[in-house]
Amino acid sequence: MAKYANPTLVGMLYERVGDKLFLIIYPFSIYFIITEKYLNILVFDALIFFTLVLLRHKLVFLDFYFKRIVIIFWVLTLTFSTISFMLFNQINYLYMTKAYVECNVLDIKEYSLVYRYKGYATFMMKSHESIKDDFTVIENLVGKIDSYEIGEENKYRVILKNNQEVDIKFNNYNQFTLFSLDTNLKN
């Protein structure tokens, strides 16, 4: 009865549209994930939140603990995002974790995607002894490298065999290296 006397915004929204809202949100989110080929942390958080809202109205147990569960979820998400941003300048802690596990723990990939946006992408690879070893891994991603020259601090201009240029910036850490490269190849 108290839930109807003082309804929340999410509760009122669910009262009006019910499960129809979720039939719209889920396909849109899945379409966004598939077309972008990248799970944005905001889309992930929205999917989890709307799943909790949907399950709240289906499971009495979840309805009773809904506020606590949502607060714990948001605190964990904000904490992990903040830590990832402060330490590595990356908000998407899901891809940071995935890349670290693939490159350093399981050692199944030489490099792994961490962040992608229009015009550039950030990858993680295991730390190497020399820059030559780093460029050997990067060759697998961009193609044969003809030469490279250092520009700014930790930023290189790489010229490929097909005369295209790529800008690559390195951020070295103890266990791994994050490298960002310009995905708009220049002639």
Side-chain angles (χ1 to χ4, degrees):
M1 191 72 158
K3 130 169 111 169
Y4 296 108
N6 188 12
T8 62
L9 180 63
V10 174
M12 290 187 310
L13 184 63
Y14 189 85
E15 291 282 326
R16 285 210 148 155
V17 295
D19 295 341
K20 295 174 196 146
L21 174 68
F22 302 101
L23 294 175
I24 295 169
I25 290 175
Y26 280 119
F28 176 73
S29 298
I30 298 300
Y31 172 78
F32 180 74
I33 291 167
I34 290 170
T35 57
E36 289 293 319
K37 296 181 182 137
Y38 182 77
L39 180 60
N40 190 313
I41 195 68
L42 297 174
V43 173
F44 172 75
D45 289 346
L47 280 173
I48 297 294
F49 179 72
F50 285 123
T51 302
L52 289 172
V53 170
L54 178 65
L55 291 176
R56 173 187 184 188
H57 294 280
K58 304 297 181 193
L59 303 171
V60 176
F61 171 78
L62 192 61
D63 186 35
F64 185 71
Y65 293 107
F66 179 74
K67 189 180 279 187
R68 291 180 190 142
I69 292 170
V70 168
I71 289 171
I72 290 169
F73 169 71
W74 287 115
V75 166
L76 287 174
T77 296
L78 290 173
T79 302
F80 290 147
S81 291
T82 303
I83 290 170
S84 181
F85 183 74
M86 296 292 286
L87 295 176
F88 311 113
N89 201 22
Q90 300 294 326
I91 293 175
N92 197 340
Y93 61 89
L94 294 174
Y95 274 79
M96 282 292 294
T97 305
K98 176 191 80 73
Y100 185 79
V101 168
E102 287 177 346
C103 294
N104 292 320
V105 176
L106 298 177
D107 203 18
I108 57 175
K109 289 188 173 182
E110 291 181 332
Y111 61 89
S112 184
L113 176 70
V114 173
Y115 182 75
R116 183 168 53 88
Y117 194 67
K118 298 173 187 167
Y120 76 97
T122 302
F123 296 89
M124 179 187 291
M125 70 177 151
K126 186 182 273 190
S127 286
H128 294 103
E129 296 288 326
S130 68
I131 194 73
K132 184 179 179 186
D133 295 334
D134 289 342
F135 280 116
T136 303
V137 172
I138 293 172
E139 264 188 353
N140 296 332
L141 185 63
V142 297
K144 286 289 186 187
I145 296 175
D146 187 34
S147 64
Y148 56 88
E149 57 188 44
I150 191 163
E152 302 170 14
E153 182 180 333
N154 292 334
K155 190 170 186 179
Y156 291 84
R157 177 163 307 273
V158 177
I159 300 168
L160 303 175
K161 292 278 186 188
N162 58 4
N163 292 328
Q164 292 183 322
E165 295 180 6
V166 179
D167 293 328
I168 299 175
K169 183 176 182 190
F170 290 95
N171 293 322
N172 297 317
Y173 300 96
N174 289 338
Q175 298 285 325
F176 58 88
T177 299
L178 292 175
F179 63 96
S180 299
L181 59 97
D182 183 6
T183 56
N184 299 324
L185 297 175
K186 303 167 193 126
N187 285 327

